[in-house]
Amino acid sequence: GELMLTVLSSFAQEESKNTSENLKWRYRRKFEEGKVAINTTRFMGYDKNKQGELVVNPEQAEIVRRIFRDYVGGKGSFVIAKALNAEGVSTVAGGEWHSTTVLGIIKNEKYKGDAKLQKTYSKDYLSKKTCINRGEFKSFYIENNHMPIVSREIWNEAQELTRQRAENKGNRKGREVLYQNRYPLTGKLLCSKCG
């Protein structure tokens, strides 16, 4: 009985592996043939039509445009998230906005009408763990794949701002470390006259 279960279990495992490999192969073939399969679950701004193409969701698209406008206008991702929460605007998953949710929208190439495919992959067919594709698999980038929500100019400006802000944050941390190293007693000694 136990041997039979082991044999059946290994058959089931092999079957699962074959199904997983076939699916991966089918998706890659579709990418290579220019047939795009984009997952729109929890994806603000777009719906899918019967053909599986991305179509703009007008109400959600307005939220996306506002995020880009505010960000390019000088507001940070934390401030934008706070404002959306205060106004009772929910995310596409029905939850609260966070700095990372806002940045996820800012960095997504789909909002300028492009599509990068095979961004992630399943580590193995058993755990189904999703990993970021850092060159392990061929990825595909398609320009003008669908209707954009923001212009390329605004999208590019937002990317440049993200880069600059990350750089400034790094520099600020660097300066703090430098001052701590130069002045080990900073904040530990107080002047009796001025405090």
Side-chain angles (χ1 to χ4, degrees):
E2 208 170 297
L3 176 65
M4 191 62 178
L5 275 175
T6 309
V7 171
L8 285 173
S9 170
S10 67
F11 269 126
Q13 228 170 309
E14 196 55 37
E15 185 69 19
S16 176
K17 185 181 181 182
N18 289 341
T19 306
S20 176
E21 292 303 320
N22 286 342
L23 267 173
K24 281 180 192 169
W25 182 82
R26 277 214 301 274
Y27 271 120
R28 285 202 199 107
R29 268 309 286 271
K30 276 186 175 180
F31 293 165
E32 281 162 359
E33 289 166 10
K35 292 171 187 167
V36 183
I38 295 170
N39 181 11
T40 53
T41 317
R42 296 186 173 174
F43 181 45
M44 179 157 282
Y46 290 101
D47 295 318
K48 253 184 185 177
N49 64 16
K50 283 174 184 171
Q51 289 76 43
E53 298 162 331
L54 292 180
V55 286
V56 175
N57 176 314
E59 289 110 45
Q60 290 180 9
E62 206 32 65
I63 297 164
V64 172
R65 284 190 198 102
R66 173 195 167 168
I67 288 168
F68 273 91
R69 270 198 310 268
D70 287 354
Y71 193 78
V72 167
K75 289 182 184 175
S77 54
F78 178 78
V79 173
I80 294 169
K82 202 174 167 187
L84 289 166
N85 287 330
E87 290 167 37
V89 179
S90 62
T91 66
V92 79
E96 282 206 331
W97 289 89
H98 299 281
S99 174
T100 48
T101 328
V102 171
L103 284 175
I105 282 177
I106 294 293
K107 291 174 181 177
N108 196 330
E109 80 291 335
K110 289 182 192 76
Y111 294 117
K112 61 171 173 168
D114 295 356
K116 187 178 182 185
L117 310 170
Q118 195 81 51
K119 284 182 186 178
T120 60
Y121 65 94
S122 287
K123 196 169 179 92
D124 61 65
Y125 68 97
L126 284 174
S127 71
K128 303 275 193 286
K129 188 176 181 250
T130 304
C131 303
I132 293 167
N133 183 6
R134 301 189 195 278
E136 291 89 344
F137 293 99
K138 186 178 175 184
S139 61
F140 302 84
Y141 195 95
I142 302 157
E143 288 191 355
N144 306 313
N145 178 67
H146 50 272
M147 181 72 75
I149 286 176
V150 296
S151 70
R152 284 183 184 277
E153 290 72 30
I154 285 178
W155 193 88
N156 289 337
E157 200 177 327
Q159 306 321 298
E160 182 54 30
L161 266 175
T162 304
R163 194 190 59 76
Q164 281 174 15
R165 286 172 186 176
E167 223 170 69
N168 291 342
K169 206 174 176 182
N171 288 344
R172 201 160 55 242
K173 279 181 183 166
R175 282 198 297 273
E176 282 165 14
V177 169
L178 178 73
Y179 292 141
Q180 280 165 9
N181 290 347
R182 277 174 59 198
Y183 310 112
L185 297 176
T186 298
K188 290 176 184 166
L189 294 175
L190 293 173
C191 173
S192 60
K193 292 182 178 70
C194 68

